Amino acid sequence: MAENLEIEPDDTREGERDVYALDGGLRAELKRAVAYADVAAIDALLEPLHPADIADLLEQISGGEREALLELWSSGIDGEVLSELEWSTREEILPLLPDRVLADAVRELDSDDVVDLVEDLGEDQQEAILDALNDADRAAVEQALSYPEESAGRLMQREVVRAPDHWSVGEMIDYLRSDSADLPEQFYHVVLVNPAMKPIGQVTLGRLLSSPRAHKLVDITEDSFRVIPVTQDEDDVAYAFNQYHLISAPVVDDDGRLVGVITIDDAMIALDEANEEDLLALSGVGRDESLNDSIGATARQRFPWLFVNLFTAIVASLVISVFEATISQIVALAVLMPIVASMGGNAGTQSLAVAVRSIATRDLTRSNMMRVIMREAGVGLLNGIAFAIIMGFVGFFWFGMPLLGLVIAVAMVINLVVAAFAGILVPVVLDRFGADPALASGTFVTTVTDVVGFFVFLGLASVLLI
């Protein structure tokens, strides 16, 4: 059966294979190889790929195909592939792996990757992974798990290259080259510590290698040295890396002693996750929702905010019901009023997106809040006037009622200005009260623009047209 598969040669460049994997061609061949139980073909297809692409393939195939693949290729799974998987897919895969394969996979990971691997798993699965580690690594992972979720202690790796603060460049280079140096696979700095194990600076590898051997390490430390408290929130860590252009930073305990290091790749993962969570939350989607979740699980995650939206829609409908008599006399109002509400909702969402992002990046502060509010109000006013002119003509020529054009024009201006205010103020107020502005703001802003839009439009119509 295998001779029917068109497998690319092993010397294909990795970049080309990556593109091939993403366009679905490799996925189709992989499914065919699994269907024929062709282990050689599976090895030839997957071996050249980057671990991240293998993880993508595992996430894109069905659960049954994934299980069949792992039965044939479980020995090919390594720690890097496991660390790249979404947590929901990883949770399905771990019980399918033989104990030996799982043990070999986790032993090759740094401590921060092991923590990321086990922190979302059940106790039984956690224990299976921890049992695969030696005593020192297990103690390090258990210590990291004792720190609060989404803290620097969970994000850091325990493998740190450190040196006494009195060492010279030559002593450091000799140590790095010695057999006794237990170095992590990747590192960017040497952290200098005093006798109390407190970090006092760090030296980049580039400066270390370019400096004379006699120079003291303390004389070539980096200016942008910052330490991260072990309990600091991941979002604050990511902000510090982005704000101060850090590559790595030592992590200290409550006594200021060195306990680990955070590198830029882990900080950027935390930043990407925060941005992704905000994007999902603005849409009322669960933060942990995945394409691999079941229909029932996805429905349960989305139901709460859909229910809230239903409640707010009923509130807007109650406002409309107050003007039922007006609408019954002028049917054109029923045709035009969704336009006012829709434009307000879209304008509010635009301001909301700017506000939520600015809060997350610390750009929106008490000192510039009024300026930002007035800016958004000005934008709402200008856009409101522009669309008011357009809708004024539409209302007049469509229904032949000059006053109707005036009513919808005034309502459009007022609602777009209110939408701009709501888009900024709602997330700011929620943030002040400790609520997640991304998760709750959208519903409240839409409610405000619907209620105000309907009330102003129908209220003006009642006064001017009846």
Side-chain angles (χ1 to χ4, degrees):
M1 297 293 182
E3 62 270 15
N4 294 326
L5 294 178
E6 298 179 3
I7 302 172
E8 294 185 27
D10 290 341
D11 61 353
T12 303
R13 289 179 299 174
E14 183 174 322
E16 293 179 353
R17 293 302 302 267
D18 291 348
V19 174
Y20 181 55
L22 295 176
D23 71 6
L26 188 144
R27 186 167 62 249
E29 291 196 21
L30 181 63
K31 289 182 176 182
R32 192 181 313 140
V34 171
Y36 287 116
D38 191 338
V39 177
I42 293 173
D43 288 339
L45 289 168
L46 296 182
E47 191 276 331
L49 294 181
H50 188 279
D53 290 320
I54 296 176
D56 284 344
L57 285 170
L58 290 172
E59 291 166 358
Q60 291 167 6
I61 61 180
S62 67
E65 292 169 333
R66 191 158 50 233
E67 184 173 354
L69 171 62
L70 292 176
E71 288 180 0
L72 299 169
W73 192 71
S74 62
S75 59
I77 294 288
D78 60 18
E80 291 188 21
V81 173
L82 291 178
S83 66
E84 294 285 351
L85 289 168
E86 290 185 352
W87 73 268
S88 57
T89 306
R90 188 190 301 160
E91 196 172 25
E92 294 178 15
I93 284 179
L94 290 179
L96 304 176
L97 299 179
D99 292 342
R100 176 186 56 81
V101 173
L102 182 59
D104 291 341
V106 297
R107 287 194 191 106
E108 65 189 43
L109 293 175
D110 290 331
S111 57
D112 59 324
D113 292 323
V114 178
V115 171
D116 181 60
L117 193 67
V118 304
E119 63 180 348
D120 293 322
L121 301 177
E123 291 184 7
D124 292 341
Q125 290 179 312
Q126 282 190 3
E127 194 62 31
I129 292 178
L130 293 175
D131 286 342
L133 303 174
N134 60 44
D135 292 342
D137 289 338
R138 175 171 182 142
V141 172
E142 288 179 335
Q143 175 64 37
L145 291 173
S146 69
Y147 296 121
E149 293 186 13
E150 299 185 352
S151 67
R154 294 286 186 98
L155 196 62
M156 71 178 184
Q157 65 181 54
R158 300 294 293 261
E159 298 82 11
V160 186
V161 180
R162 59 179 183 267
D165 56 3
H166 59 80
W167 271 16
S168 67
V169 170
E171 288 175 304
M172 188 68 233
I173 292 177
D174 291 341
Y175 169 75
L176 293 176
R177 291 175 174 172
S178 68
D179 295 335
S180 60
D182 185 15
L183 304 178
E185 184 176 341
Q186 289 184 337
F187 65 98
Y188 309 100
H189 291 99
V190 173
V191 181
L192 304 188
V193 295
N194 63 18
M197 283 299 294
K198 297 182 178 181
I200 62 169
Q202 59 186 13
V203 178
T204 65
L205 294 181
R207 185 170 292 183
L208 175 69
L209 295 174
S210 63
S211 299
R213 289 179 60 87
H215 277 195
K216 293 294 183 182
L217 293 177
V218 293
D219 295 331
I220 58 171
T221 55
E222 196 172 26
D223 295 334
S224 59
F225 174 69
R226 290 178 179 272
V227 297
I228 305 292
V230 72
T231 56
Q232 190 170 73
D233 188 85
E234 282 185 1
D235 290 347
D236 294 330
V237 173
Y239 172 78
F241 269 74
N242 190 50
Q243 179 75 5
Y244 305 112
H245 311 294
L246 304 179
I247 299 176
S248 69
V251 181
V252 297
D253 61 16
D254 293 337
D255 297 320
R257 293 174 300 199
L258 180 67
V259 293
V261 65
I262 294 176
T263 54
I264 189 170
D265 54 331
D266 293 318
M268 291 304 99
I269 288 174
L271 183 62
D272 288 342
E273 288 177 349
N275 290 338
E276 181 181 343
E277 288 176 356
D278 285 346
L279 178 62
L280 293 173
L282 280 170
S283 303
V285 178
R287 291 176 179 273
D288 298 325
E289 184 171 321
S290 164
L291 290 177
N292 297 303
D293 290 344
S294 66
I295 294 175
T298 303
R300 284 194 300 272
Q301 291 184 69
R302 297 185 184 182
F303 179 84
W305 283 107
L306 289 175
F307 181 80
V308 173
N309 285 333
L310 174 62
F311 176 77
T312 57
I314 292 173
V315 172
S317 297
L318 291 175
V319 174
I320 296 174
S321 68
V322 173
F323 300 96
E324 184 176 351
T326 303
I327 298 174
S328 64
Q329 295 182 51
I330 306 176
V331 179
L333 298 178
V335 176
L336 295 176
M337 67 182 184
I339 298 176
V340 178
S342 176
M343 291 297 294
N346 287 331
T349 301
Q350 290 174 338
S351 296
L352 173 62
V354 172
V356 170
R357 180 59 183 157
S358 299
I359 291 172
T361 58
R362 317 294 205 278
D363 291 331
L364 184 59
T365 63
R366 292 179 183 272
S367 60
N368 68 355
M369 188 180 304
M370 185 53 64
R371 178 176 61 83
V372 173
I373 291 174
M374 296 309 297
R375 169 184 173 273
E376 289 298 316
V379 170
L381 179 61
L382 288 178
N383 281 333
I385 293 173
F387 287 108
I389 294 173
I390 295 172
M391 287 309 302
F393 280 108
V394 169
F396 171 71
F397 287 108
W398 190 354
F399 297 99
M401 301 173 63
L403 283 180
L404 179 59
L406 175 63
V407 166
I408 194 170
V410 174
M412 189 77 75
V413 172
I414 293 174
N415 204 26
L416 262 66
V417 172
V418 169
F421 274 112
I424 295 292
L425 291 177
V426 168
V428 167
V429 171
L430 290 173
D431 185 59
R432 290 286 183 268
F433 283 96
D436 186 346
L439 182 61
S441 296
T443 300
F444 291 119
V445 170
T446 303
T447 301
V448 169
T449 55
D450 284 351
V451 170
V452 171
F454 291 143
F455 184 82
V456 171
F457 180 57
L458 298 176
L460 287 174
S462 299
V463 172
L464 298 177
L465 301 179
I466 303 300

